[in-house]
Amino acid sequence: MQNINSEKKGPWYERKKPWWQLAILDIVLAALVVGVFAFFHLWLPKIILTKNGMPEPVYQVSVAETPVPEYDTEEESLQWREKFSSFFTADTVITDNSYSSPEVSVQITEHSTEKKLNYFVADIHIADIENIQSGFSAEHSSDSPEKVAQDNDAILAMNGDYCSNQREGFLVRNGYLYLTEQTKYDICVLYYDGVVETYQPSEYTVSEIMEKDPYQVWKFGPELLDKNGSPKTVFNTSDAILHKHPRSGFGYYEPGHYCFVVVDGRQPGYSDGINMEDFSKLFAELGCVRAFNMDGGASSSMVFENEIVNKPSGGGRYISDMLVIKEKDALKGQEK
């Protein structure tokens, strides 16, 4: 016969526990959450990048094979050094948010809105196409954004398109051809004459682009402006990428004049991030005629004079490649 005084024991998770067991359980759960976050946002990207490394270049694109296209107007035929002379200085001048020399001008501005949005815009003028480059970590694996920028003597650097994780598609870096497959993603092409074009998959073939001597071909996307420089509302990317996130983007005004834009996000009370449609509008408001979305999330980072300018989500992550603004000649190291 069942003892009516005996208590029916329920599942373990319903039983009352002493305070010390609850405290230990809370600590274990907190450690698990932190460990999972760190693994996916810090350690796993480094493991993947170190394992993969950079793909090997196929060959160097020869600019001598195809003539550089002529500019459309007499004004555009002027050399960049003369055209942007008001932005350059005879000596190297460095402030907390600017840099100018005989061949490079960088001006960084921080912007905040009432919609909990914080972002940074770097306005860039250069005198030579080689002042803008793709920079990789010293071991061609991954490292902190500051270290990658330092390894490449960068004045200014912004994270790129996660190049080392790509094993298919169409990639050109600093005139070297890495991958030659047609891709389902949008691409951004910087030509040796300084012109930037963005293409959807149906708008180009690899052979057509190669005939024009590309200097850089980035693949992440999507393109942010249409061919008239107007904001887009439909994008060639997955729905998950369309929502509010930290973002990095490359903007183009005219040959020799570009911008880097980094938007902070996933930080309540400081900056929530920006969705793709508003990111497109931002580049149009800046006056760009072409713009391209780069890798985002915790990768979004801007480095100026070897220091992080923005506040990357979750403290940031290791990256493999960056868009770099640097001196073509050894002008750095002069007195400020």
Side-chain angles (χ1 to χ4, degrees):
M1 180 180 297
Q2 183 177 359
N3 186 351
I4 60 175
N5 293 323
S6 63
E7 295 183 2
K8 185 178 181 181
K9 294 184 177 180
W12 67 272
Y13 52 82
E14 292 181 355
R15 301 172 198 165
K16 188 175 181 180
K17 302 174 181 62
W19 67 268
W20 59 270
Q21 288 186 356
L22 294 175
I24 293 176
L25 182 61
D26 288 341
I27 293 173
V28 171
L29 290 176
L32 180 62
V33 170
V34 172
V36 170
F37 178 86
F39 178 76
F40 282 99
H41 289 267
L42 298 176
W43 302 327
L44 184 59
K46 184 175 182 181
I47 292 170
I48 292 174
L49 292 172
T50 302
K51 178 181 178 182
N52 290 344
M54 278 293 300
E56 292 297 324
V58 180
Y59 65 85
Q60 184 174 11
V61 179
S62 173
V63 296
E65 293 176 357
T66 306
V68 175
E70 294 182 359
Y71 295 111
D72 295 331
T73 66
E74 181 178 352
E75 180 183 1
E76 288 179 331
S77 68
L78 297 174
Q79 296 294 318
W80 300 350
R81 193 180 305 273
E82 179 181 350
K83 184 174 184 180
F84 303 130
S85 60
S86 61
F87 295 94
F88 301 142
T89 52
D91 299 316
T92 301
V93 179
I94 307 173
T95 71
D96 290 340
N97 63 348
S98 68
Y99 180 104
S100 62
S101 73
E103 59 182 30
V104 174
S105 171
V106 171
Q107 181 70 48
I108 301 172
T109 53
E110 181 178 0
H111 306 263
S112 298
T113 73
E114 296 178 355
K115 297 181 179 180
K116 295 181 180 179
L117 180 66
N118 209 82
Y119 64 95
F120 298 81
V121 178
D123 191 49
I124 302 160
H125 293 83
I126 57 176
D128 190 282
I129 192 63
E130 292 186 20
N131 292 131
I132 181 170
Q133 297 181 17
S134 289
F136 307 109
S137 64
E139 302 300 326
H140 275 198
S141 56
S142 68
D143 218 320
S144 67
E146 302 98 313
K147 186 61 166 59
V148 177
Q150 185 177 22
D151 288 343
N152 290 275
D153 296 320
I155 299 163
L156 174 74
M158 180 184 72
N159 66 287
D161 61 354
Y162 204 4
C163 182
S164 66
N165 196 45
Q166 300 184 25
R167 290 297 180 270
E168 60 182 13
F170 181 27
L171 295 177
V172 176
R173 293 294 188 270
N174 303 329
Y176 286 88
L177 178 66
Y178 284 80
L179 301 172
T180 59
E181 297 179 15
Q182 194 79 20
T183 175
K184 63 181 179 180
Y185 300 101
D186 297 348
I187 63 171
C188 178
V189 183
L190 171 60
Y191 292 101
Y192 271 96
D193 63 355
V195 171
V196 172
E197 293 289 353
T198 58
Y199 302 92
Q200 294 186 349
S202 62
E203 297 174 335
Y204 78 96
T205 64
V206 171
S207 60
E208 289 173 345
I209 300 297
M210 291 303 298
E211 288 176 358
K212 300 177 183 178
D213 276 346
Y215 177 53
Q216 312 282 349
V217 177
W218 294 293
K219 186 201 81 174
F220 197 93
E223 68 173 4
L224 297 170
L225 303 175
D226 64 19
K227 297 305 183 270
N228 297 316
S230 300
K232 296 184 65 173
T233 56
V234 178
F235 303 92
N236 178 30
T237 190
S238 64
D239 289 341
I241 296 180
L242 297 176
H243 304 301
K244 285 186 177 182
H245 296 291
R247 298 194 187 278
S248 299
F250 174 59
Y252 165 69
Y253 299 96
E254 59 181 326
H257 187 193
Y258 313 94
C259 70
F260 294 168
V261 178
V262 170
V263 179
D264 285 333
R266 299 175 186 167
Q267 301 175 64
Y270 165 65
S271 187
D272 294 334
I274 192 170
N275 63 40
M276 196 69 73
E277 190 168 344
D278 287 340
F279 201 37
S280 172
K281 292 178 182 177
L282 175 56
F283 278 96
E285 291 169 358
L286 290 172
C288 296
V289 296
R290 298 288 183 273
F292 196 71
N293 182 59
M294 296 293 178
D295 189 14
S299 295
S300 288
S301 51
M302 180 181 289
V303 179
F304 177 64
E305 289 293 298
N306 298 327
E307 294 185 3
I308 289 278
V309 172
N310 66 310
K311 297 180 181 178
S313 173
R317 65 159 62 103
Y318 278 54
I319 58 177
S320 62
D321 58 294
M322 304 189 79
L323 279 67
V324 168
I325 303 299
K326 62 188 298 184
E327 295 284 3
K328 182 180 178 184
D329 301 316
L331 294 179
K332 292 185 59 109
Q334 300 182 16
E335 292 292 330
K336 292 187 179 183

